[in-house]
Amino acid sequence: MNTSTETTVNEQTLSLPVMEYFYTLQGEGFHQGKAAYFIRLAGCDVGCVWCDVKESWDVSKHPLKSISHLVDQVKQTPARIVVITGGEPLMHDLTLLTSALQESGFQTHIETSGAYPLSGNWNWICLSPKKFKAPLPELINKADELKVVIYHKSDFDWAEKYAALVNPTCKLYLQPEWDKAAEVTPQIIDYIKANPQWQLSLQIHKYINVP
Ligand code: SF4
């Protein structure tokens, strides 16, 4: 959702507020370690207390970029995968962006809290639900990957609540919250050993110092 009441329909459909875009390695989850072009859209009202991209929240602080410009930027790299992240990217209508990327031969991946209706065409949906704003049921059963950030040991029960709702083929990941990693990673390891349907996701981009 764009908070500016002056934004035109044309801008809403052909341009999106973008905080940053860059070519790197996917650091998390099922596609961890693969080269991917990231487009980080601005805007989020989910309000995670431990959010590591709070500067993305205020959509008015980030410029609108045209979809054609974004696709052109991706084309300048050998990327095959484009990850749309945020912020909460589904605050925006992503139909045209994903169509343009797929028409250019790119695989479209999204990382979302699931708090807003799904738009766009996706080759991979990573649902990372947050306690602060519940995901919509329509998102839960479309997820290819469920990635739950563990901040406190009570989060394991919360993760199981969503694991029971996703599609049976959905991959299940537990990821330590970065600032709590020293405390919760050993708990996650023990939990996965006892519950091997889950896998560990580490934010490897933070260990190898890439964006
Ligand atoms: S959903 Fe993502 S961007 Fe939004 S507050 Fe939570 S961690 Fe930050």
Side-chain angles (χ1 to χ4, degrees), residues 18-27 31 33-40 70-85 101 106-107 109 205 208-211:
V18 180
M19 177 179 154
E20 57 183 350
Y21 41 94
F22 48 88
Y23 187 39
T24 186
L25 301 190
Q26 168 59 283
H31 294 285
K34 295 181 185 176
Y37 198 99
F38 274 69
I39 299 174
R40 185 183 305 285
L70 294 170
V71 174
D72 284 347
Q73 296 302 303
V74 182
K75 283 180 176 173
Q76 290 176 25
T77 73
R80 306 315 313 150
I81 295 170
V82 181
V83 180
I84 309 301
T85 187
L101 287 167
F106 300 112
Q107 299 272 306
H109 295 194
H205 53 293
I208 61 176
N209 284 321
V210 298

Side-chain angles (χ1 to χ4, degrees), residues 40 43-58 85-89 91 111-116 127-135 147-151 155 158 175 177-180 203 206:
R40 185 183 305 285
C44 187
D45 65 357
V46 176
C48 305
V49 291
W50 40 260
C51 177
D52 60 359
V53 282
K54 287 186 169 129
E55 61 274 32
S56 71
W57 291 5
D58 186 347
T85 187
E88 173 41 66
M91 292 180 83
E111 309 219 345
T112 177
S113 68
Y116 284 85
L127 172 66
S128 186
K130 303 298 189 311
K131 282 183 170 173
F132 312 94
K133 197 171 176 106
K147 184 173 66 189
V148 179
V149 176
I150 301 295
Y151 181 80
D155 293 335
W158 193 79
Q175 179 173 294
E177 194 279 321
W178 181 250
D179 290 330
K180 290 272 189 158
Q203 294 181 295
K206 295 185 178 179

